[in-house]
């Protein structure tokens, strides 16, 4: 009679056992090593930075241009009819270099109102001549009065401190660029516009 019970040395095919030494919560999953999904839409950060820099440059340029320059006037303009009453004396030139390496040139002097009107604005043309028989470089800008010398030279428009008859004030003209072929002589300063009240 055969024995129906299996012998101990006989093995049955059994299910694979789970490896209990790996913790399912800390084990790396295949998704962990997959590349991140592609983002759709939006601009990269570098594009935003470049756009911001361009906007800042445009705003700074407009502020500088609107701060002291008058729209370009080509050619030498005739003197204002009141110019003879506004002599410019004690002219001196100086320059300074900024930390960024930019150079500014200054023309300082005195203006006196020897006429009968109160002056609220003065526009000048400054002619930088050269030795090459070429037309001078012409800069047109408003005259700025020196308000204080300490801790630095600070200027204000003539309208902030109008020149009454007999008044004399110091002024400063500021130039950010001078032509390379300038003859290094004091430029000619012409009063081409006077606002009075």
């Amino acid at each position: 009679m055969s024995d129906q019970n299996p012998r101990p040395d006989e093995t049955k095919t059994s299910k694979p056992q789970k490896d209990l030494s790996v913790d399912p919560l800390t084990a790396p999953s295949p998704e962990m090593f997959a590349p991140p999904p592609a983002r759709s839409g939006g601009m990269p950060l570098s594009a935003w930075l470049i756009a911001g820099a361009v906007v800042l440059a445009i705003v700074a340029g407009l502020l500088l241009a609107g701060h002291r320059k008058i729209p370009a006037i080509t050619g030498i303009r005739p003197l204002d009819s009141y110019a003879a009453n506004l002599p410019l004396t004690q002219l001196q030139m100086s320059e300074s270099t900024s930390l960024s390496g930019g150079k500014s040139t200054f023309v300082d002097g005195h203006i006196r109102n020897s006429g009968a009107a109160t002056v609220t604005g003065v526009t000048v043309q400054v002619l930088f001549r050269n030795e090459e028989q070429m037309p001078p470089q012409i800069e047109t800008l408003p005259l700025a009065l020196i308000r204080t010398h300490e801790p630095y030279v600070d200027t204000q428009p003539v309208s902030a401190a109008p020149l009454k008859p007999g008044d004399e004030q110091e002024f400063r003209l500021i130039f950010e660029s001078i032509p390379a072929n300038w003859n290094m002589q004091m430029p000619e300063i012409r009063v081409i516009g006077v606002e009075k009240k």
Side-chain angles (χ1 to χ4, degrees):
M1 193 168 156
S2 69
D3 191 354
Q4 296 287 341
N5 293 335
R7 287 193 233 155
D9 59 336
E10 288 180 354
T11 57
K12 290 185 181 177
T13 308
S14 63
K15 294 183 197 173
Q17 296 281 326
K18 280 188 178 178
D19 184 4
L20 298 176
S21 64
V22 177
D23 183 2
L25 296 176
T26 59
S29 65
E31 297 85 19
M32 188 177 204
F33 298 106
R39 294 182 186 175
S40 60
M43 289 176 45
L45 179 61
S46 60
W48 282 109
L49 292 175
I50 291 171
V54 168
V55 168
L56 283 176
I58 291 171
V59 169
L62 290 173
L63 287 175
L64 287 175
H67 179 67
R68 70 185 235 353
K69 286 279 186 178
I70 289 177
I73 298 174
T74 56
I76 299 173
R77 299 274 308 270
L79 295 175
D80 187 274
S81 60
Y82 197 79
N85 297 308
L86 298 173
L88 306 176
T89 59
Q90 303 178 38
L91 300 177
Q92 302 175 48
M93 291 190 77
S94 61
E95 62 182 35
S96 71
T97 304
S98 68
L99 295 175
S100 62
K103 189 165 87 170
S104 296
T105 303
F106 309 108
V107 175
D108 294 339
H110 284 77
I111 183 170
R112 183 170 187 276
N113 182 2
S114 59
T118 298
V119 175
T120 59
V122 178
T123 301
V124 296
Q125 271 192 332
V126 182
L127 283 58
F128 290 93
R129 300 195 183 278
N130 57 67
E131 302 285 348
E132 301 163 359
Q133 306 305 317
M134 295 174 63
Q137 176 173 322
I138 301 170
E139 297 282 336
T140 303
L141 63 158
L143 190 84
L145 302 178
I146 294 177
R147 178 171 40 193
T148 181
H149 285 275
E150 297 297 333
Y152 56 88
V153 175
D154 187 26
T155 61
Q156 64 187 359
V158 176
S159 60
L163 293 169
K164 297 183 180 100
D167 282 356
E168 183 173 346
Q169 284 282 344
E170 292 179 283
F171 70 84
R172 170 166 276 190
L173 301 172
I174 303 172
F175 305 95
E176 302 301 328
S177 63
I178 300 291
N181 64 351
W182 171 47
N183 65 9
M184 305 301 284
Q185 302 300 313
M186 180 65 71
E188 180 184 349
I189 304 172
R190 301 165 49 84
V191 175
I192 62 165
V194 178
E195 295 172 30
K196 308 180 287 288
K197 66 174 184 178

